[in-house]
């Protein structure tokens, strides 16, 4: 073969190799088998699970992520620490068990890894899911009634149609969970959400199910924890309202507003509300002069609204506020010494109280006269407070009546 032919053949091979590499890198599906087909998982029965627990020497660390357990009855089994889902961070590959319609009644699943599993129509009646990971699960129409889910993570879980009746959720992470259409009744979150306790939330990121996350996610979530709590309470409120649970919705709304107020605190305001100014430091720099006074005023007004009426959800607070004003101002009138009877007869403390009640309701008693500007100023201030408090009371009562 002539040298020219050798060069031509070599050039053709090199060109073909380069074209092949380009096509494979840009159009891999055209040269390799499809990876979209779902891997067939071997079926595992209750007896098989019990056998694997015995072989493993217990349920802790037992990897069941490769099995199909759908429809099985796993009632009253100790599966604490079992692994139903694995995630390869390097290859970004999830492997999770199919747990659709599985009966986990009375089972111990504390600290179990159920992340990204299929839990549709599964039953967890009185199960123990303490510190379990249910991140990203498909749990539509599942039952979590009377389940211990304290400190469990339900981040980004799909819970449409799921039932939470007398479920313990104190310290649970419900951020980004889809609970708008869930059936939530008498859940126990009296100790607050995970995001409300900075120390507990920081500890949460060192737990076994999130400790591999990069540190930047921990810092970002810690800085945004009040906003996350506000969103969770808003979702809870909507879920309650959709099922006519107005008393629970009222409490969730109250907590939602308090979480929003926490973002107005001076040392947090810039973190939560300073994005626009931070992105435009030039022509908006002057706004920093008004930024902190604005959020200080917003926090104070929000605090007063909570104190006076519980954001319109606690009319009894407004009643107590009115009584406080009515019983406090008589002492101010007595100290001023500028309230007297028209006939100059001596005044008793009950007379100052009657005058205070008249000033609060803007009623004028002819038998009382003021003898100086101090008493007149105090009476005007009480009248202004009275008008405001009575208007606030009407608003709070109307709000509660319209909901009930």
């Amino acid at each position: 073969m002539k040298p020219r032919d050798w060069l031509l053949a070599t050039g053709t091979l090199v060109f073909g190799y380069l074209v092949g590499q380009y096509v494979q890198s840009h159009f891999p599906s055209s040269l390799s088998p499809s990876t979209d087909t779902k891997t067939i998982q071997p079926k595992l029965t209750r007896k098989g699970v019990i056998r694997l627990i015995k072989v493993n020497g217990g349920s802790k660390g037992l990897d069941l992520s490769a099995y199909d357990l759908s429809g099985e009855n796993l009632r009253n089994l100790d599966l604490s620490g079992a692994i139903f889902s694995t995630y390869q961070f390097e290859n970004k590959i999830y492997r999770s068990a199919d747990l659709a319609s599985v009966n986990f009644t009375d089972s111990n699943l504390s600290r179990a890894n159920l992340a990204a599993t299929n839990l549709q129509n599964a039953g967890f009646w009185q199960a123990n899911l303490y510190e379990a990971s249910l991140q990203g699960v498909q749990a539509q129409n599942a039952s979590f009634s009377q389940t211990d889910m304290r400190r469990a993570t339900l981040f980004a879980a799909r819970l449409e149609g799921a039932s939470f009746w007398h479920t313990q959720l104190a310290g649970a992470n419900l951020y980004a969970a889809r609970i708008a259409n869930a059936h939530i009744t008498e859940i126990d979150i009296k100790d607050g959400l995970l995001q409300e306790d900075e120390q507990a939330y920081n500890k949460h990121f060192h737990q076994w199910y999130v400790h591999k996350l990069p540190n930047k996610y921990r810092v970002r979530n810690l800085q945004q924890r009040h906003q996350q709590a506000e969103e969770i309470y808003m979702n809870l409120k909507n879920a309650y309202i959709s099922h006519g649970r107005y008393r629970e919705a009222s409490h969730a709304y109250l907590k939602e507003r308090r979480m929003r107020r926490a973002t107005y605190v001076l040392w947090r305001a810039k973190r939560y509300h300073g994005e626009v100014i931070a992105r435009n430091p030039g022509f908006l720099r002057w706004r920093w002069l008004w930024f902190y006074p604005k959020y200080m005023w917003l926090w104070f007004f929000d605090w007063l609204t909570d104190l006076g009426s519980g954001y319109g959800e606690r009319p009894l607070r407004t009643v107590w506020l009115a009584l406080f004003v009515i019983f406090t101002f008589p002492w101010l009138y007595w100290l001023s010494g500028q309230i007297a009877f028209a006939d100059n007869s001596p005044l008793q403390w009950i007379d100052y109280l009657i005058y205070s009640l008249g000033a609060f309701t803007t009623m004028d008693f002819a038998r009382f006269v003021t003898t100086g500007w101090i008493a007149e100023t105090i009476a005007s201030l009480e009248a202004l407070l009275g008008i405001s408090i009575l208007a606030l009371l009407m608003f709070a009562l109307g709000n509660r009546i319209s909901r009930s």
Side-chain angles (χ1 to χ4, degrees):
M1 182 180 282
K2 296 180 179 180
R4 184 181 60 182
D5 297 332
W6 279 105
L7 290 174
L8 182 62
T10 303
T12 303
L13 288 174
V14 172
F15 178 75
Y17 173 77
L18 293 175
V19 170
Q21 290 295 317
Y22 176 82
V23 173
Q24 187 174 5
S25 62
H26 288 77
F27 309 98
S29 60
S30 64
L31 297 176
S32 58
S34 174
T35 57
D36 294 336
T37 56
K38 187 177 181 180
T39 304
I40 299 176
Q41 295 175 309
K43 185 68 177 176
L44 188 64
T45 63
R46 177 186 175 91
K47 291 182 179 179
V49 173
I50 296 174
R51 184 177 66 254
L52 288 175
I53 292 174
K54 290 181 179 178
V55 172
N56 191 63
S59 60
K60 186 175 182 180
L62 177 61
D63 190 354
L64 299 171
S65 61
Y67 295 100
D68 178 6
L69 292 159
S70 58
E72 288 299 318
N73 181 7
L74 302 181
R75 178 172 183 167
N76 205 27
L77 283 183
D78 184 0
L79 294 166
S80 57
I83 300 171
F84 294 89
S85 172
T86 57
Y87 180 64
Q88 299 178 13
F89 282 85
E90 298 80 9
N91 302 323
K92 297 184 178 180
I93 298 175
Y94 253 120
R95 187 178 69 180
S96 56
D98 187 355
L99 303 173
S101 303
V102 173
N103 182 8
F104 286 107
T105 300
D106 294 318
S107 295
N108 183 5
L109 291 159
S110 60
R111 295 179 64 84
N113 185 2
L114 295 154
T117 55
N118 179 11
L119 294 174
Q120 296 183 42
N121 300 300
F124 292 88
W125 178 268
Q126 294 185 340
N128 182 5
L129 286 167
Y130 177 78
E131 277 194 358
S133 174
L134 288 88
Q135 177 174 329
V137 297
Q138 304 285 326
Q140 295 92 332
N141 302 311
S143 175
F144 296 97
S145 297
Q146 292 193 347
T147 303
D148 184 358
M149 302 183 76
R150 291 171 300 151
R151 299 181 65 180
T153 178
L154 290 155
F155 174 77
R158 297 198 60 177
L159 303 169
E160 296 93 335
S163 175
F164 294 86
W165 181 70
H166 288 274
T167 305
Q168 299 181 51
L169 287 167
N173 184 8
L174 292 166
Y175 181 57
R178 302 185 185 182
I179 57 176
N181 296 317
H183 302 276
I184 301 175
T185 309
E186 301 292 341
I187 62 173
D188 181 8
I189 51 173
K190 60 184 178 182
D191 295 330
L193 298 171
L194 176 67
Q195 284 81 354
E196 294 182 66
D197 188 339
E198 184 176 5
Q199 185 177 0
Y201 201 26
N202 189 33
K203 185 179 178 181
H204 163 81
F205 288 99
H206 297 282
Q207 296 291 340
W208 58 273
Y209 44 79
V210 289
H211 76 280
K212 292 184 180 180
L213 287 177
N215 188 60
K216 64 179 182 179
Y217 292 107
R218 180 185 67 84
V219 174
R220 184 180 65 186
N221 280 275
L222 281 171
Q223 291 178 343
Q224 300 296 322
R225 63 187 183 91
H226 295 97
Q227 224 165 40
Q228 292 179 7
E230 178 189 351
E231 183 177 329
I232 293 169
Y233 279 119
M234 179 184 66
N235 291 334
L236 283 172
K237 175 194 69 178
N238 294 335
Y240 283 133
I241 292 175
S242 65
H243 293 93
R245 311 290 302 185
Y246 297 115
R247 182 174 62 85
E248 291 94 336
S250 174
H251 175 72
Y253 175 69
L254 190 64
K255 296 288 287 186
E256 175 193 349
R257 290 294 302 270
R258 286 175 179 172
M259 290 301 103
R260 187 183 306 171
R261 186 176 78 217
T263 68
Y264 296 155
V265 178
L266 290 182
W267 54 88
R268 300 192 194 111
K270 182 179 178 181
R271 183 198 315 162
Y272 286 106
H273 307 286
E275 302 88 353
V276 176
I277 299 177
R279 288 196 300 265
N280 302 275
F283 71 96
L284 290 175
R285 192 185 299 260
W286 59 272
R287 288 195 179 181
W288 284 113
L289 300 175
W290 169 240
F291 182 83
Y292 287 108
K294 170 187 175 182
Y295 282 98
M296 184 174 64
W297 165 250
L298 285 174
W299 181 90
F300 180 71
F301 182 76
D302 218 80
W303 176 76
L304 282 180
T305 308
D306 186 13
L307 178 68
S309 66
Y311 299 105
E313 300 295 328
R314 301 291 185 269
L316 192 59
R317 288 190 185 183
T318 313
V319 174
W320 285 113
L321 180 61
L323 292 175
F324 174 78
V325 171
I326 291 171
F327 280 89
T328 299
F329 271 78
W331 297 102
L332 299 179
Y333 295 127
W334 174 75
L335 289 172
S336 70
Q338 296 180 357
I339 302 294
F341 278 128
D343 57 1
N344 292 323
S345 56
L347 288 169
Q348 303 295 326
W349 190 87
I350 187 66
D351 298 315
Y352 290 106
L353 179 62
I354 294 172
Y355 185 83
S356 175
L357 180 62
F360 185 86
T361 57
T362 66
M363 293 178 60
D364 185 19
F365 296 108
R367 60 193 182 119
F368 293 105
V369 294
T370 56
T371 59
W373 66 270
I374 296 178
E376 292 175 351
T377 303
I378 295 173
S380 299
L381 177 60
E382 186 178 10
L384 182 61
L385 287 173
I387 294 171
S388 302
I389 292 172
L390 290 175
L392 189 60
L393 178 61
M394 293 301 103
F395 165 73
L397 288 174
N399 188 48
R400 292 306 300 272
I401 292 171
S402 64
R403 283 193 175 182
S404 60

